[in-house]
Amino acid sequence: NAGVTQTPKFQVLKTGQSMTLQCAQDMNHEYMSWYRQDPGMGLRLIHYSVGAGITDQGEVPNGYNVSRSTTEDFPLRLLSAAPSQTSVYFCASSYAPRGWGGYTFGSGTRLTVV
Amino acid sequence: AQKVTQAQTEISVVEKEDVTLDCVYETRDTTYYLFWYKQPPSGELVFLIRRNSFDEQNEISGRYSWNFQKSTSSFNFTITASQVVDSAVYFCALSEAGSGGSNYKLTFGKGTLLTVNP
């Protein structure tokens, strides 16, 4: 059972480039979300999804797009990378909406935008 | 709005000392969940504990214990007889169980960096 798998683990982008961070889970969880972690800021929610075809914005959605075509996958797209998007990105999934199911996190993607 | 405050940015202790990490939260919901996560130097987030707002029993798991006090909105974490392997950033987080979009969101504190020296 792989849990939540994020790829790539590391990425360097030039300003203006686009890329997609991949997130896949094999636990049949309905709820998936993306967080970014910046020094001294904790983790902040970017986007989340409550099921296939349903997504919504979190605290810091600007510059990111998401879609959820299947239960398993929840990719995060950067359309035009900016240095301010240099961060560590975590994907999380949960089988329940209210926290009692707990959250499983991927191992993270460290992104540097130069 | 939900908020989590971890006032201790960094703590340094010597091995075998006991250490308590503080967490204070704010929420308007009467039903919510509190979490502690550990982030070792390798970077992954390791789940430690989940507590719901109706369960104020303290919990002990080996050298770890948690003290949940609704009266002071605190959910503190104590490591007894600390070890070098406990060195990590520890995050406290809150999830509201009320209606609306907030119940899909974990609000994290900014974390406490614990360094255990040999």
Side-chain angles (χ1 to χ4, degrees):
Chain A
N1 197 341
V4 178
T5 302
Q6 289 185 238
T7 56
K9 292 192 184 301
F10 302 93
Q11 184 72 48
V12 179
L13 286 180
K14 293 183 179 178
T15 298
Q17 285 185 319
S18 63
M19 81 159 294
T20 300
L21 308 186
Q22 302 292 344
C23 175
Q25 51 93 6
D26 61 358
M27 299 171 284
N28 203 32
H29 285 176
E30 289 293 326
Y31 306 93
M32 297 185 74
S33 48
W34 277 101
Y35 291 81
R36 61 176 287 173
Q37 182 181 15
D38 302 296
M41 297 293 292
L43 280 80
R44 293 179 292 168
L45 181 65
I46 304 171
H47 286 285
Y48 65 92
S49 169
V50 301
I54 307 170
T55 63
D56 207 345
Q57 297 180 351
E59 294 176 79
V60 288
N62 293 340
Y64 307 96
N65 281 350
V66 293
S67 60
R68 183 99 178 269
S69 56
T70 66
T71 299
E72 294 77 20
D73 299 298
F74 189 42
L76 178 71
R77 282 183 287 276
L78 286 71
L79 297 179
S80 178
S84 61
Q85 294 178 304
T86 294
S87 188
V88 180
Y89 292 85
F90 287 96
C91 179
S93 74
S94 175
Y95 67 84
R98 290 177 171 78
W100 61 266
Y103 296 83
T104 302
F105 282 85
S107 58
T109 295
R110 185 175 294 275
L111 175 68
T112 302
V113 182
V114 298
Chain B
Q2 50 189 16
K3 183 179 179 181
V4 175
T5 301
Q6 295 179 255
Q8 304 150 308
T9 305
E10 296 185 34
I11 300 176
S12 181
V13 300
V14 176
E15 209 170 16
K16 299 184 182 177
E17 283 186 31
D18 298 347
V19 57
T20 295
L21 309 182
D22 297 333
C23 173
V24 174
Y25 62 91
E26 295 177 28
T27 177
R28 295 177 191 165
D29 272 8
T30 56
T31 303
Y32 50 89
Y33 299 89
L34 295 163
F35 302 79
W36 275 95
Y37 285 88
K38 174 182 180 180
Q39 188 175 45
S42 52
E44 74 273 21
L45 284 164
V46 179
F47 167 79
L48 295 177
I49 190 172
R50 176 183 67 247
R51 172 68 75 225
N52 74 56
S53 54
F54 297 110
D55 182 2
E56 287 193 72
Q57 281 190 347
N58 292 331
E59 180 153 340
I60 298 174
S61 176
R63 296 184 296 107
Y64 295 171
S65 62
W66 290 269
N67 183 290
F68 176 31
Q69 292 195 342
K70 287 179 73 171
S71 60
T72 57
S73 298
S74 64
F75 187 43
N76 297 336
F77 172 34
T78 297
I79 302 174
T80 302
S82 60
Q83 300 176 2
V84 173
V85 293
D86 295 327
S87 297
V89 179
Y90 291 86
F91 290 99
C92 180
L94 165 71
S95 174
E96 292 177 333
S99 60
S102 66
N103 61 2
Y104 306 118
K105 167 187 168 182
L106 267 179
T107 295
F108 284 82
K110 294 184 179 181
T112 297
L113 172 61
L114 173 65
T115 302
V116 181
N117 299 296

